[in-house]
Structure formats: structure tokens, C-alpha cells
Amino acid sequence: MFKQAQPILHSPSRLCQYYLETVYQRIAAPCPAPSTNKGLISETYGEVLYHSLCQLIHNYTFNENDILFDLGSGTGRIALPFFLLTSLRQVCGIEILPAPHHIASQAANIIQQELPGFYKNQRRLSFLLGSFLDIPIDHATVLFISATCFDPSLMYSLSKLINCLERVHTVFTLRPLPNLKRLVFKKVISLECSWDSALCYVYGYNR
């Protein structure tokens, strides 16, 4: 009798993908809790597909002093690859919906127990429940904003916030940021998502 073929893992990205798939398969999704959002932030949910996110990650260099915040982090499927595939010192996701936040927190706990080597030199992975307009992110240097369903007023509020974040040098956002003064538009990248393809706008220093 032939044994079922195991997946062939040719690269760290493929290994990471396979591992994360097993992590999420072990997590039971909680029942959605009643919303406490007062209409300030969209609760529509979707995800950037893993292979597309990896292409973005591999096209940019992050160093051991960088701190990434994923605003609208959902179940953590963006934050976790950033933590496992880069040298970022800290990755933190902020999500307003309790159900996906619970899944992300469970995944992070599993990773910390099973892969302690990724936490050497005080590296950190965390997820926070709440509004990213209320939670302080002053120490962030890189932002990923899952903004496809954010309305114009929220994008304007995010621009005002980023203008005050002196350490932020790179922003990836799925909607353009109006009135951004500290950083300039650099390029646009097409990402494949669970609902369709989306454009990712990249902002950085004017060099």
C-alpha cells in the first residue's frame, strides 16, 4: 500500500505556509460576540492570500529594529508570516472584532509554545483587541492597513494619525491615504485576496 505523499517544502515560505495551515486547523472558531463598534471602523472581513503576501514581504527589507503594526489584523494571517519570515523585532495586530482576534491570539500562543527560537533577542508577537484609533502605536516603524472597506473619513483619520507618528517610515495600505504629509506615495502592488485582487499602496520617505 502506498503512503500518502507529503508536501514538498522547497523554501522557508512554503514551510511557513504549511506550518500555519496546521496551526489554524487546530483552532476552534468562537461564536461571534455582539458588536461594540459604533460605526467608526468597518467590520467587513477578508484576507490577503498567503502567496501574495509573501511576494510583498520578499520585496522589502526589514531590520531587527523595525516594529510592524497590522491595523485590522483579523485572524492574524498577515501578522504571523511577517513575524516568521522577517527579522522584525516586534509584530502587533490590532483587531476590533472579538471572534477573529480570539483566533489570532490562539495562533500566537501556539507559535510561542512550539517555536520559542523566534522569540530570541526579545522579539515579540502580540494581538490587541480594540480600535487602532484608540490604542497607542507610537513605537511603530512599519504599518500594514487592511483598509479595503474603510470609509473616507476613517482613511482621513488614519492619515492624521500617521502624520504624528515620527518613527513610521513605511506604510502598506489597501486604500490610498488622503492628506498624508510625512510620507510620500512610492508605488502600488497588486495583491490577491480572498474576495478578489486588491491594490496595495506603499508610502515611504522621499529619498
Side-chain angles (χ1 to χ4, degrees):
M1 180 178 242
F2 294 102
K3 293 183 179 179
Q4 183 176 1
Q6 296 298 312
I8 301 175
L9 305 173
H10 295 288
S11 68
S13 296
R14 290 289 301 277
L15 179 61
C16 177
Q17 180 182 19
Y18 177 69
Y19 174 69
L20 290 178
E21 287 174 356
T22 66
V23 167
Y24 282 106
Q25 288 170 3
R26 291 147 60 187
I27 297 173
C31 295
S35 173
T36 57
N37 184 21
K38 301 185 187 302
L40 295 177
I41 296 179
S42 171
E43 294 184 350
T44 303
Y45 185 68
E47 294 175 341
V48 176
L49 298 184
Y50 178 84
H51 71 276
S52 194
L53 178 64
C54 283
Q55 290 176 359
L56 184 150
I57 289 175
H58 292 323
N59 281 323
Y60 287 86
T61 301
F62 305 98
N63 64 53
E64 58 187 13
N65 294 315
D66 276 324
I67 298 173
L68 181 141
F69 272 77
D70 179 11
L71 307 184
S73 52
T75 59
R77 291 180 182 270
I78 289 174
L80 296 184
F82 267 110
F83 182 73
L84 294 175
L85 295 175
T86 73
S87 60
L88 288 160
R89 179 159 61 93
Q90 180 179 346
V91 175
C92 180
I94 301 177
E95 173 57 46
I96 199 168
L97 294 176
H101 165 76
H102 179 71
I103 293 173
S105 297
Q106 284 189 287
N109 288 338
I110 292 173
I111 289 171
Q112 186 167 16
Q113 292 172 10
E114 296 182 345
L115 302 177
F118 283 86
Y119 293 80
K120 290 181 179 179
N121 301 319
Q122 299 183 327
R123 292 190 77 221
R124 292 178 57 194
L125 170 66
S126 59
F127 291 94
L128 304 175
L129 177 63
S131 167
F132 47 68
L133 296 179
D134 299 329
I135 296 174
I137 58 172
D138 296 347
H139 52 304
T141 63
V142 181
L143 299 178
F144 191 101
I145 306 173
S146 301
T148 305
C149 298
F150 293 176
D151 62 31
S153 63
L154 179 54
M155 298 307 298
Y156 184 80
S157 297
L158 277 168
S159 293
K160 288 180 62 178
L161 174 63
I162 296 170
N163 285 334
C164 298
L165 298 175
E166 297 183 357
R167 298 186 62 187
V168 170
H169 60 72
T170 304
V171 176
F172 304 99
T173 173
L174 301 188
R175 287 195 68 182
L177 288 160
N179 200 37
L180 196 61
K181 297 177 180 178
R182 282 194 56 254
L183 305 175
V184 299
F185 171 75
K186 306 293 285 188
K187 64 187 300 186
V188 64
I189 302 170
S190 179
L191 298 179
E192 293 185 43
C193 305
S194 58
W195 63 93
D196 200 348
S197 61
L199 297 179
C200 179
Y201 300 83
V202 183
Y203 295 85
Y205 289 139
N206 187 14
R207 293 177 178 172

